[in-house]
Structure formats: C-alpha cells, structure tokens
Amino acid sequence: MSKMVKTGVFVLLLLTVMVLPAMNVYSQEDMRAVDSSAFDCPIRPPAVFAHDDHNDTAGIDDCARCHHLFDDNGRKIEDESSEDQSCADCHAQEDKGTVPGLRKAFHWNCKGCHLQQRTGPVTCGECHVKK
Amino acid sequence: MTSLYAFVAGPLAWAAFLFFFGGLCYRLLSMLRQVRQSEPFIFSYMSLRYSLRSILHWLIPFFAMGWRRNPILTGVTFIFHISLIAAPVFIVSHVVLWDEAWNLSWWTLPDAVVDVMTLVVVAACLFFALRRVLRPEVRFVSDASDYLLLVLTAAPFVTGFLAYHQWPAGPWMTIAHMVSGELLLALIPFTRLRHMLSGWLTRAYIGSEFGAVRHARDW
Amino acid sequence: MNERHKEPSEIMDDGVEAALSRLTPEKIQAVINSVLKGETGARFKAYMDTCIHCGLCSEACQFFLSRDRDPHYSPVGKVKQTVWPMVKNKGRVDTDFIRRAVRIAHTECNLCKRCVAFCPFGIDIAYLMTVVRRIIHKLGATPLYLQDTAHSHASTMNQMWVKEDEWIDTLQWQEDEARAEIPSLRIPLDKEGAEIMYSVIAPEPKFQAQLIYQAAAIMHVAGVDWTMPSDIGWDNSDMAMFTGDYEIMGRIKRTHFEAATRLRVKKIVMGECGHAFRSVYDTGNRWLGWAQPPVPIVHAIAFYYDLLKTGKLRIARKYSHPVTLHDPCNVVRGGGLHEKARYVVHQLCDNLIEMHPNREHNYCCGAGGGVINCGPPYKNARVAGNRVKAEQLFDAKSRGAHTLIAPCHNCHSGLHDIVHHHGIDLEIKFFSDIIYECMEKPDGSE
C-alpha cells in the first residue's frame, strides 16, 4: 500500500485523459462529481469533485496537470493537454499495456496527487460519498 | 489526516505484513528447528498422504464426530472462517488497492456479499463470546485473552462495515479500520490466532500417527 | 464414612501424601521446569499455542459425560488445572496443586485419546497428561498402588512380583492341566527358532492362569510353531509407561524384545491386553529408538483373525448367546483392530449387538491408562466416573446382549467393576474364552 505514494507520482506523470469524459469547458463550473458514465457497471457512487473550486483551492492552472497526454513510448508530452477528449478515450475498463484502466487512472490521478501533496481526501468514503 | 493515512497505508501496512508473514515464517522455522533438535522422531512419522487424509476429512463440515456432536458451533465455525478469509481477500476495495500499488488484481466478490460476510464474522464473534459465557465447560477454560482475541478479530470487520456504510462520514472510520486490520495481522503469529498455521501442522501430525501407525480414523 | 459418598477430592492416597510431605516449593519448581524445558519440545509448545479453548473435546470424555458435564472433567479442563498453571507460573505451584494434579492426571484421565479425535486441531491431550505424570513421577508422588507395579517391573521385570520359578511352575502346571484334555499339548519353553513368541502380562500367571491354558490349547489346535521364554522378557505389560517412569519402561521393553531376539522368533504374539500393546507397539519401542517395533507385534485379535481366516482354527459350533463387543482404546484407536475384532466375533457368534458409539469412537472402559492400577482408594470414583459406559452396556443388554467381549485385561477388569456396581447382568469374556469353548478340538479331547 505504501507504494501508493510512489505510484501517485507515476500517475501524475501519466496524467489521465480522463477526469471528465465528454465534458466541456462550459459545464465545469457546475460540476459536482466525476462523471462515471463511462464505467460499464459502476460499483461506487461517483467521486465528489467540484472542478473549479478544486483547482482554485489547489492552485492548479495547468490543465495538463490532469488532462495529460502521453506519447507511444509512455513519455508525457509537455505543453499538450487533452481536455478536448474523454478520459475513457484512452483509458479502457481494464489496463492495456502501460495505460492504466479507467478506474485505476482516476484513483492514481486524484488520490496519487493528494498523497503526494499531503492534502485532500484519500479514503474511499471521502470521495465516493453515499447519497 | 492525509499524512496519517499515508503513514497507516504506508509504513504501518508494511510493518503489519512484515509481522504477519515474517512472524508466521519465524514460527514455522523455529518449530521445525525445535522438532529437529528435541523430537526428530516426528519427522519419521509424518506422512503426506495421511496428513492430507486427516485434514480433508476435517475440512468437510459435519463429517467428523467432533463436528457432528456440536452442529451449531460447527456451522458457525465454518461460515465464520470462510467469511473471515474470503471477505478481506475478495472485497473490491482491497483488490483495488493491490491493483493500484502492485498491478496485482484478482476476482472479486460483489459488495453486497462481502457486506453479509462481514456481518457473519461479527455475529460469529458475538456467538463465540456468548458461548464462552454460557457453556460451563467453555467458560471454565476461558480467560480475558480469549475475549480479547475475539475483539481483535471482530474489530476490523466492525470498522470496515461502518466505514463502507459511511457511519460516520469522513476518514476516521476508514483509518480505524486500517489500523485494527493491521493490528490483527501483526498479532496473528504472536497469539493463539496462530492456529491458522499451527492447526494444520498439529492435525497433520496426529493424522499421520493415526493413519500410518494406529490404522484408525481420527475424525 | 461410606467410601461410596466420598468426593474424588477427598480420596487420600498414602503414597501421594508421603511424597507431598517431603516436597518443597523449590523442589517442585525445579522438577516441573526440568521436565517442561528438558523433555518437551515443539509438540508441547504447538499444543499449548494452538488450543483455542473451544471445549469441543469435552464431548469426548467419559469422565465429563458421566460427571454431569462438570467442566473440571473435560479434557481441556484437566489441562487447565494441571499444565497451564505449571507453564504460566514457571513451575511455582504448591503441594495442594500437585495433589490435585495427581488425582486428575492419574485417576481422571485414561489416556484413551478419544478427545484427540474430537479436537479439530488434533491436539493430543493424552500426551499432555503423560507430561504431567512424568512430572509427578519425578516428584515421587505417583499413586501408591500404581507405583508398586512400577517397582515390580524394576525389580522383577514383570508387573506382579512373579518370581522365575513361579513363572515356570505356572506354565508347567497349565501344561499338565491341558494335557489332561489334549494329551499331546506342550507349552514349549525357550524353543529357539520358533515362528512365534507368545508373551503375556504378569496378571495371567499370577491369577488368571487359565488364560495361558486356553492360549496353549489354541496354539496347539492351530498347529502354531510357538514358544514362551522361561527367563525375563515373558511379560509384555508396562505400568512404568503410565507412571511416566520411562527409564524403567525402556528397560522392560528392551528385555521383552531381547527375549524374542534370543529365541530368534519371527514375531511376537501377545495376549488380549491393550496397554501392553500400546507399550510394545507404540510407546516403548519409540523410547528405545525404534519407529516401529523391532520384532513384529501381533495382538491376539489380529492373531485369531489370521487363524480363523486361514482356516487353521475351525469353529465346531457357534457361541449360542448374543454378544456385544467393547472396543479397547489401545488396540482400536491405537492399532485399528476393530474390523478384525468384528470378523472374529462373526466367526464365533451369530448375534453381535453393537454398542453405540463404537469402533474408534467407543467410550473407554474407564480403567485403562493405569487408572485401575491406582487401586482400591480410587475404585468408587472410577466407577462413578464412567456412568456413560454403564448406560452403553445397559443399552446393549436391553437389546438382548448376554455376553460382553472385552479383548483387553484392563477393560475386562474395569467393565467388571461397572457391571457389578450397576448390577448389569452381562457375562464378560475374552475372545480366547469363547474360541477355546467353540473351536474344533482333536478327537477324544472333549
């Protein structure tokens, strides 16, 4: 489990294409939770996520921090971001080669960063809040 | 809080698994060393065939005379132990963690099933505790440690159940769940919970004796 | 005061009391620790660490069941009252504790191992009780009557103080008696190179000499090439095993095996005794370093089985009464002879009325493990401690059993006490009694 920290770093490098599949810029200020519609059968409530509030609080300006892009060799492409794509466009349900599956990508992206920054929710119930 | 989580999920988890696996290995090796030193004859009586014969017969619920004479306890014991092992190993929340940390993943049980198993474990612990109080022959041989072991065993399941259902909301129940689970793992080799290892060996030895020497059933 | 109403805790044993009066806490502690540290190992530790105190073993014990489920009599309850405090207090226990431990380990456990088959972990509580007995032995506090038999073993190499001339005289006497019936019969003494050495327990020449007569008749009729040793080694019994005096046990077992080696026999056949089988087949040989007995051991049950199966022995007319069969722990849980015993029964009798539970799960007679040998002070407590056996016997009787076959000396005596005490009208016999009665004999011998 301690690997979580390490993998968190790894994750950030991977930067997911995901977070907001099929989501466009205009709706983000209203966003309250991660869109889980790409999951075949979601087993937990979608993760709580207020996009703009989160980024204000966290001081994130660079979209590519989350909306990352990787080349074929698995290296992160700097200065390019992927907010025009859905996370699920790259991340399938399951791992594919070095590309983590959608669930793992979300977890790495969110929880990995939180652990690295030592702030933000990390336990299951803090994000997957039951209604 | 995130730092605390990082500690509980990091170094503490490493320590728990180290104590658990290291402790069990240590117990096994020291037992084998002691057998070689003082009772090497045990090795000459061990028989794989009769060890397995004995173990398998006892793994069938209600087969051994000892099981049949205590049908309720037997039923509870079997579903308790199955749930105790299966719930934490096959719950999706744990497999996710293994997957994200080590890229290891395996088949999982539906959450609803694990939920029931968790309640089974807790209820079984209550049953065992009640049985300790109510059955004179069990009360006679029970002391505080027996009840503490039940609390130790039930704790991760109680906290896990509450954390899953988010009563109360927030991280603390999950942290308590992790800590109690780690405590249980770490203490298994150093308490009578080590029967999870030694029980197979004592059964194997007596199974060998009964099979190869005594030519009699031991179930 | 009427003995019958004495609580077990009120029983006074002069030998135990004398020993306790000489003990000091330091001596007790030193002895306990020397045994626990010096003589136990991984097995003892594993049993201590694995027992989860579930109490499932209770159902196995005839003392527990007979004493109205009093927890003090459950197998794990006995361990709690003996071994646990010794370990926990690192041997610091007082003489009252030792007095109680003597009573429990020597008179309230038959070492029958029924509880082993009830424990999910297969914890051998009988073994733990033998560790207690070993400590008691080293404290010199073994019950008086039992200790006397161990002394006899040490001095005479037999259990009953039988002197050499008495032994030979008894054999000749029985040979003479038998020759009146079968003129060509012999009891061959010291016949080197015979196929079989027949060994008995000392109570046979001492007061059950007709058993030797019967055995000789069976051997003769079956045409067996057999012999008995005139010198020490003829006794296969072993009370030292039950007192925890393993040094003496080793000596008498070695003597017994050496007698067989001296006579260059192929195997040893022994009479219908359970504890002797345990000693020769399982315990004594191990003490001497033999995983299996150095000379093959054939218990009487297996021997009769072979003779009947191969037709060397033929039954002239079957035993007319319905019988029930007691499964002695030492040859059933200790040797797996229960099916052979049933084969023999069916060859001899038409009507076997089984007791339940039976075979490996049969209730102990309550006498074995040296308990009956602790003598008169404990007799009433012993009989009271085996009510379940009485109920089992009564049940068999009520279903028509007339004769109780008990192919073990200890069982025989213990069951006799139970039958007598409760007035259960069962005739108790050995296999050899019935075989002798029913077998085909040479013409004109009857």
Side-chain angles (χ1 to χ4, degrees), chain C residues 9 17 32-33 75 114 129 137 181 206 213 231 245 269 273 304 310 325 376 381 403 407 411 420 432:
Chain C
S9 57
E17 293 307 321
I32 289 176
N33 289 336
R114 190 168 191 258
M129 287 298 116
H137 159 67
E181 182 187 8
K206 193 78 179 180
Y213 176 125
D231 204 352
D245 191 347
V269 171
C273 183
Y304 302 147
T310 55
L325 173 68
T403 301
C411 297
H420 181 74
S432 72

Side-chain angles (χ1 to χ4, degrees), chain B residues 132-185:
Chain B
R132 279 206 183 286
V133 178
L134 297 178
R135 289 285 286 253
E137 74 269 26
V138 192
R139 185 171 63 231
F140 183 64
V141 293
S142 300
D143 59 24
S145 73
D146 293 298
Y147 296 98
L148 279 176
L149 288 182
L150 286 176
V151 172
L152 184 69
T153 307
F157 291 85
V158 173
T159 52
F161 182 82
L162 293 176
Y164 173 69
H165 290 282
Q166 299 174 16
W167 304 322
W172 295 107
M173 196 50 79
T174 306
I175 302 263
H177 168 65
M178 294 164 80
V179 171
S180 59
E182 286 162 358
L183 195 65
L184 172 62
L185 273 184

Side-chain angles (χ1 to χ4, degrees), chain B residues 47-54:
Chain B
S47 141
L48 183 65
R49 179 182 158 216
Y50 288 116
S51 295
L52 293 177
R53 182 181 83 154
S54 181

Side-chain angles (χ1 to χ4, degrees), chain A residues 1-5 7 10 43-45 94-95 103-104 107-108 111 114-115 117-126 128-131, chain B residues 1-3 5-6 8-11 13-14 17 91-93 96-97 99-103 111 163-166 170-171 174-175 178 182:
Chain A
M1 268 193 262
S2 82
K3 279 278 166 159
M4 218 126 261
V5 179
T7 46
F10 182 46
I43 51 178
R44 292 291 152 97
E94 302 296 331
D95 295 355
R103 179 174 69 198
K104 198 190 280 186
H107 282 160
W108 275 352
K111 190 180 165 188
H114 292 171
L115 278 172
Q117 301 298 325
R118 285 287 190 269
T119 183
V122 281
T123 62
C124 313
E126 287 177 284
H128 299 287
V129 177
K130 294 202 172 177
K131 280 161 253 168
Chain B
M1 204 291 302
T2 315
S3 300
Y5 174 90
V8 171
W14 274 105
F17 280 102
I91 185 173
V92 72
S93 323
V96 160
L97 294 175
D99 188 19
E100 287 158 19
W102 298 95
N103 275 318
D111 277 349
Y164 173 69
H165 290 282
Q166 299 174 16
T174 306
I175 302 263
M178 294 164 80
E182 286 162 358

Side-chain angles (χ1 to χ4, degrees), chain B residues 4 36 74 110 155 173 209 219:
Chain B
L4 177 63
R36 205 185 59 198
T74 300
M173 196 50 79
E209 282 268 1
W219 54 84

Side-chain angles (χ1 to χ4, degrees), chain B residues 20-98:
Chain B
F20 177 64
F21 287 111
L24 288 182
C25 287
Y26 166 76
R27 287 289 172 205
L28 183 64
L29 291 175
S30 69
M31 186 186 282
L32 293 176
R33 203 195 60 221
Q34 215 179 356
V35 169
R36 205 185 59 198
Q37 270 174 4
S38 60
E39 290 165 310
F41 69 87
I42 285 177
F43 290 132
S44 49
Y45 287 102
M46 289 304 277
S47 141
L48 183 65
R49 179 182 158 216
Y50 288 116
S51 295
L52 293 177
R53 182 181 83 154
S54 181
I55 288 170
L56 288 175
H57 278 102
W58 275 89
L59 279 181
I60 304 169
F62 309 105
F63 192 82
M65 177 77 101
W67 289 143
R68 267 179 285 155
R69 284 291 161 91
N70 293 274
I72 298 173
L73 176 71
T74 300
V76 174
T77 296
F78 272 92
I79 60 167
F80 164 76
H81 282 95
I82 291 168
S83 302
L84 182 76
I85 309 278
V89 171
F90 297 112
I91 185 173
V92 72
S93 323
H94 290 181
V95 175
V96 160
L97 294 175
W98 288 107

